[in-house]
């Protein structure tokens, strides 16, 4: 999903609609199946993630990369030339997104809850998980499922908004709801922004460094990325913050499935 004012570029936030109680699932389903809800990730971040993953995979035999929450497939289309000769397969829960994604790559319907992703255990060499985890009711079960489909030593590239971004720290001091956070499915309240995209959870760098090892992953590297909706005068500061991931707008995490996990 592409975020606008106050939310992030999200690839395939629609995965969230498959979990929770009936009422929240219904409201999330309506949001994620709405064609007006944007689903394309920004090309700059897609290229950044693809380069990280390409370096991690190296020039090995062609492998399988799953783009979980592929949205409309445009992010995968941007990443594909960088990731050759590896094969990209998209997965999304939204039928509307899949119709568009199949113009760019092979994409199949699947979710992270029971019965899980439609892939055998250990069948993937890498997983792209771009701005999905913040939309999930049960992120622990989602990470368990990603670990299942990855081969031992397989790569996970996760990105998510940073609750502790430099401007959110300032906003909280002023009593303002942080950017990226949402308190309602019906509107934006207490924070900058105009569009609801279904963020249920937000993470800091410290939280991810603790959560991923608990789920069977080794964090290899964490880096930061800028956010496109930062007002123009502050964009140089936002790019500078990327050098300190704990302050960056977006967290990019390269992790590996631990051997024997």
């Amino acid at each position: 999903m592409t975020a606008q004012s106050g939310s992030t570029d999200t690839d395939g936030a629609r995965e969230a609609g498959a979990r929770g109680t009936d009422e929240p699932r219904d409201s999330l389903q309506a949001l994620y199946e709405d064609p007006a809800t944007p689903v394309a990730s920004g090309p700059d971040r897609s290229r950044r993630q693809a380069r990280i993953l390409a370096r991690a995979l190296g020039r090995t035999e062609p492998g399988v990369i799953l783009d979980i929450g592929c949205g409309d497939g445009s992010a995968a289309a941007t990443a594909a030339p960088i990731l050759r000769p590896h094969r990209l397969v998209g997965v999304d829960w939204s039928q509307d997104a899949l119709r568009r994604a199949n113009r760019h790559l092979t994409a199949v319907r699947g979710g992270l809850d029971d019965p899980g992703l439609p892939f055998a255990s250990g069948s993937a060499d890498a997983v792209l998980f771009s701005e999905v985890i913040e939309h999930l009711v049960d992120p622990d079960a989602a990470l368990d499922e990603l670990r299942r489909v990855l081969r031992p030593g397989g790569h996970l590239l996760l990105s998510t908004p940073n609750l502790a971004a430099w401007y959110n720290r300032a906003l909280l001091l002023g009593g303002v709801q942080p950017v990226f956070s949402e308190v309602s499915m019906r509107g934006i309240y207490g924070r900058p922004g105009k569009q609801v995209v279904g963020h249920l959870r937000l993470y800091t760098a410290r939280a991810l460094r603790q959560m991923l090892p608990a789920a069977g992953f080794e964090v290899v590297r964490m880096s930061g990325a800028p956010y496109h909706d930062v007002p123009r005068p502050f964009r140089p500061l936002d790019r500078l913050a990327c050098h300190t991931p704990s302050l960056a707008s977006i967290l990019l995490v390269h992790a590996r499935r631990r051997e024997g996990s």
Side-chain angles (χ1 to χ4, degrees):
M1 251 178 216
T2 302
Q4 309 208 359
S5 300
S7 91
T8 64
D9 293 3
T10 60
D11 269 339
R14 298 178 147 99
E15 286 283 354
R19 346 186 118 54
T21 62
D22 289 342
E23 185 174 348
R25 180 167 63 243
D26 290 346
S27 59
L28 285 169
Q29 180 174 350
L31 174 68
Y32 298 139
E33 290 285 6
D34 184 353
T37 302
V39 297
S41 179
D44 290 342
R45 196 176 311 153
S46 298
R47 282 189 287 268
R48 184 190 296 252
Q49 291 171 303
R51 286 193 290 268
I52 293 172
L53 193 52
R55 286 194 298 270
L57 289 168
R59 296 188 176 276
T60 59
E61 291 295 318
V64 174
I65 302 171
L66 304 181
D67 185 359
I68 307 297
C70 65
D72 65 3
S74 58
T78 299
I82 301 170
L83 291 170
R84 290 192 183 113
H86 307 291
R87 181 189 177 206
L88 264 171
V89 178
V91 184
D92 210 286
W93 174 78
S94 165
Q95 295 283 21
D96 176 70
L98 289 173
R99 281 192 292 271
R100 289 181 273 172
N102 273 303
R103 297 196 297 262
H104 302 289
L105 78 165
T106 299
V108 298
R109 194 168 196 260
L112 292 163
D113 58 343
D114 188 54
L117 296 168
F119 303 100
S121 297
S123 59
D125 297 281
V127 165
L128 280 167
F129 202 45
S130 181
E131 270 109 315
V132 176
I133 195 169
E134 65 272 15
H135 298 264
L136 302 181
V137 173
D138 191 350
D140 302 291
L143 290 174
D144 288 345
E145 182 63 3
L146 297 184
R147 189 182 69 246
R148 181 189 70 80
V149 299
L150 278 169
R151 61 169 171 80
H155 301 273
L156 170 65
L157 191 63
L158 178 154
S159 65
T160 191
N162 183 10
L163 174 60
W166 61 273
Y167 41 81
N168 279 344
R169 299 182 187 214
L171 289 173
L172 278 170
L173 284 174
V176 179
Q177 187 82 13
V179 174
F180 312 129
S181 65
E182 295 184 331
V183 299
S184 170
M185 294 292 293
R186 298 179 179 177
I188 299 297
Y189 304 110
R191 70 160 173 84
K194 299 177 182 177
Q195 185 166 18
V196 174
V197 295
H199 289 176
L200 303 181
R201 300 179 183 273
L202 288 175
Y203 299 83
T204 63
R206 179 177 295 190
L208 289 173
R209 287 189 185 277
Q210 294 177 358
M211 183 180 185
L212 287 170
F217 292 93
E218 174 192 357
V219 175
V220 178
R221 185 185 177 196
M222 184 176 293
S223 55
Y227 174 44
H228 70 282
D229 258 352
V230 168
R232 188 175 296 276
F234 297 106
R235 289 179 186 175
L237 183 57
D238 194 42
R239 289 193 294 271
L240 183 63
C242 292
H243 296 290
T244 306
S246 62
L247 296 175
S249 289
I250 307 297
L251 298 169
L252 304 179
V253 185
H254 170 209
R256 299 189 72 175
R257 176 186 163 181
R258 284 203 303 258
E259 300 284 345
S261 67

